[in-house]
Structures are given as C-alpha cells and as structure tokens.
Amino acid sequence: MKQKKFGNDGADVSVIGQGTWYLDRGDRTAAIAALRRGIEAGMTHIDTAEMYGEAEPVIADAIAGLPRENLVLVSKVLPSNASRRGTVTACERSLKRLKTDHLDCYLLHWRGSYPFEETVAAFDQLVTSGKIRSWGVSNFDADDLDELRDVAGDGKIACNQVLYHLQERAIEHAVIPWCEQHGVAVVAYSPFGHNDFPSARSKGGEVLQAIARAHNATPRQVALAFLTRALSVLAIPKASNAEHAAENAAAGDLTLDAAEIAALDKAFPRGPKPRSLPML
Ligand code: NAP
C-alpha cells in the first residue's frame, strides 16, 4: 500500500483509506469485519465524523486490541458545534465513542457560521493537549482555504476532504492546485460516487473495464488509482463488506500509465469549473 503525507510535516497515511458514513446502518458484525479486513490489507486511515451516528463505536470495536500507533484516525466536528468551546467538547465526545485518547486529524466538516479564529483556537488547544495530532477541513473551496490560511498561518492545514469521483472532478480546477501549492493533502470522499458507480454497459464503464483487464484489476480499483494519481490526493471509499474492503485496498498498489490516464480523462471529462464547490 502506497503511503502519502497529511500535509507538509504530517504523518504517513495509506493512500486508500476507509470511509464510515452509513456503516452503522447495516449488519454491525459485517461492518466490523470489513474494517478489520481493510486494516489488515493496509487501509489504516479511517475516516469518521460525529455526524455519522453510531459509526464511531463500530470503529472502536473494529480497532479494539490493535496497536493504536499503526492507525490514522480522522473525525470531524459539525459546523454547528465548531465554537471555541464546542469544538473541544465535540472532540472529547468522539474520543470517548472511539475509545481512544487521540485523533490523528480532526476536521471542520464544512464551513459554518463560527469565525475561523474560534475553531482554529480550539484546534490549537487540542493539539497542545495531545488530543489531536493535526487538523484540517472538509468541503473547502480555494477561496475558503485562502481565508483560513490568513487566520491560521502557513503549514497548519493538514488536509481538505472533498467530493471527488470520476463523474465529479470539480476540485481539479482550483482546489487541488491550491492544496499542492500549500502542502495540504486532498482526501477524496465518495470516490465511487456514493452509490453511482459507472455501470459496466456505459461508455465510461467499458473504458474502465478495458484498463482493469490489462492490470488484472477491477473497474473500482482503476477508478481509485485514477483519482489518487496526483501526489497530493488520497481516497476513502466506504465498504461494509469485507470482500469490497480487500478489493479497495489492493488499489493502493495500482499505478496507471499516461495513456490509461488520458483514456479515463476523455471518458469522464472534467467539465467546466462550477460556481461553487459540489458537496454531498
Ligand atoms: P463511496 O465510498 O463512494 O461508495 C460507497 C458504496 O460503494 C457503498 O454502497 C459500498 O457498498 C460500495 N462499495 C465499496 N467498495 C466496493 C467494491 N469494492 N465493490 C462494490 N461496491 C463497493 O461513498 P461514501 O460513503 O459517500 O464516501 C466514502 C466516505 O467518504 C464516507 O463513508 C465518509 O467517510 C466520507 N464522506 C465525507 C463527506 C464529507 O462531507 N466530508 C461526505 C461524504 C462522504 P458496501 O457498503 O456494500 O460495501
């Protein structure tokens, strides 16, 4: 499994990680088995959020007994809780639900109404007290990142988690360039389009299949390799099925050549820059 950095001085993190949205909705035993299979296969980066209901306790059960230092746990504060004090108490609640003493990264889930000064002060306090190792944001466009950097300073934002899949490439216009310029990792969420992966019979699906055959891989592995082709980009597919988790992890070792990337670029065009950043 390839590793990448969370920001300039950040920790190494598996290029393919595991999402957990809706992981608490189905069979709990299967969800735990999927997470564990993913971790065993090298997907040690696990993404969650206070918004994801009971997903954090599911993760706690999945990681019980595993060496904590081998995992990269990321959670998120809701914008409505992102005040100076609310951010700290939300983090403490997540730590309790995850049954751990620190997060590797803590994110503001999307931009809300609390001033950045408050949330950043809370993040700094959490770093100082050892409750988080680093912090970042989610669903931030380039202009939001500019404003945040003015408040926080250089080298503080570890990552920006944003919507990115074959049929939604808006972040390539401004967000990825901004993040690469400032040493911020880009974490691609919903890399399979949430529940809208290109069907095998579609034109794009055929391109995916042809490239997959050439690598003895699957179309989803090809999609993940395409999305993480830039040095700064990681992806966090969610799987509640252990076979799916194993398949996704194997994408962390797949590299596409320039012709394959060009074929995918043509099959799934980037499109014009939208007025605002798409999000789920
Ligand atoms: P996703 O990862 O794009 O797709 C998940 C779907 O793909 C599930 O139905 C899953 O099925 C299926 N799947 C996964 N691996 C598969 C495989 N190898 N073969 C066939 N099907 C497979 O969707 P997502 O959950 O929206 O996004 C991923 C993560 O990103 C979330 O879980 C969350 O952690 C994060 N996220 C963040 C934000 C944000 O605002 N920051 C927003 C959305 C998502 P099974 O479950 O049956 O395996």
Side-chain angles (χ1 to χ4, degrees):
M1 170 73 68
K2 280 177 263 177
Q3 306 284 309
K4 290 188 180 177
K5 294 272 177 216
F6 248 3
N8 274 336
D9 317 316
D12 279 340
V13 60
S14 60
V15 63
I16 310 296
Q18 307 195 70
T20 62
W21 193 22
Y22 290 113
L23 200 66
D24 57 331
R25 301 288 173 90
D27 178 335
R28 187 184 171 90
T29 309
I32 291 170
L35 281 173
R36 283 198 86 115
R37 181 79 171 273
I39 293 167
E40 281 156 21
M43 292 194 296
T44 49
H45 167 197
I46 300 175
D47 176 74
T48 191
E50 62 170 333
M51 195 188 100
Y52 302 164
E54 288 301 299
E56 288 178 324
V58 173
I59 297 168
D61 285 353
I63 64 173
L66 300 180
R68 176 66 184 84
E69 63 275 17
N70 294 350
L71 300 168
V72 174
L73 296 184
V74 181
S75 192
K76 311 183 197 82
V77 58
L78 280 167
S80 53
N81 287 336
S83 62
R84 175 82 168 79
R85 191 178 157 75
T87 302
V88 173
T89 54
C91 179
E92 286 165 348
R93 284 195 300 271
S94 284
L95 292 175
K96 209 165 168 193
R97 283 193 293 265
L98 285 161
K99 296 191 181 148
T100 190
D101 63 353
H102 72 278
L103 294 171
D104 294 276
C105 198
Y106 196 40
L107 314 184
L108 174 60
H109 209 144
W110 61 89
R111 186 172 184 170
S113 53
Y114 284 108
F116 288 154
E117 283 80 359
E118 281 206 39
T119 314
V120 169
F123 284 155
D124 285 342
Q125 180 187 331
L126 288 165
V127 170
T128 304
S129 62
K131 289 180 177 160
I132 65 173
R133 293 267 158 86
S134 64
W135 61 264
V137 290
S138 178
N139 298 301
F140 268 44
D141 208 339
D143 51 351
D144 301 313
L145 290 163
D146 274 331
E147 273 184 60
L148 179 62
R149 182 170 152 268
D150 284 347
V151 171
D154 276 322
K156 297 295 281 290
I157 309 164
C159 68
N160 183 22
Q161 188 181 120
V162 280
L163 179 65
Y164 189 37
H165 56 84
L166 290 170
Q167 297 168 104
E168 182 47 82
R169 296 175 54 193
I171 62 163
E172 291 180 19
H173 291 284
V175 173
I176 292 181
W178 194 100
C179 289
E180 296 205 328
Q181 190 190 340
H182 295 93
V184 173
V186 176
V187 180
Y189 75 67
S190 303
F192 297 145
H194 193 59
N195 276 321
D196 190 22
F197 193 73
S199 85
R201 283 188 305 276
S202 65
K203 247 179 132 187
E206 284 173 10
V207 175
L208 280 170
Q209 280 188 313
I211 297 171
R213 270 194 300 274
H215 288 274
N216 200 16
T218 67
R220 283 178 194 258
Q221 290 170 337
V222 171
L224 292 174
F226 177 79
L227 297 173
T228 57
R229 68 200 182 286
L231 203 60
S232 59
V233 184
L234 314 147
I236 47 165
K238 170 256 179 184
S240 49
N241 166 304
E243 297 301 316
H244 290 170
E247 178 183 337
N248 299 343
D253 292 315
L254 176 62
T255 305
L256 304 176
D257 67 25
E260 292 165 336
I261 287 171
L264 289 164
D265 180 53
K266 197 169 163 208
F268 300 97
R270 175 191 294 196
K273 184 175 186 295
R275 293 179 93 160
S276 60
L277 195 67
M279 61 183 279
L280 284 192

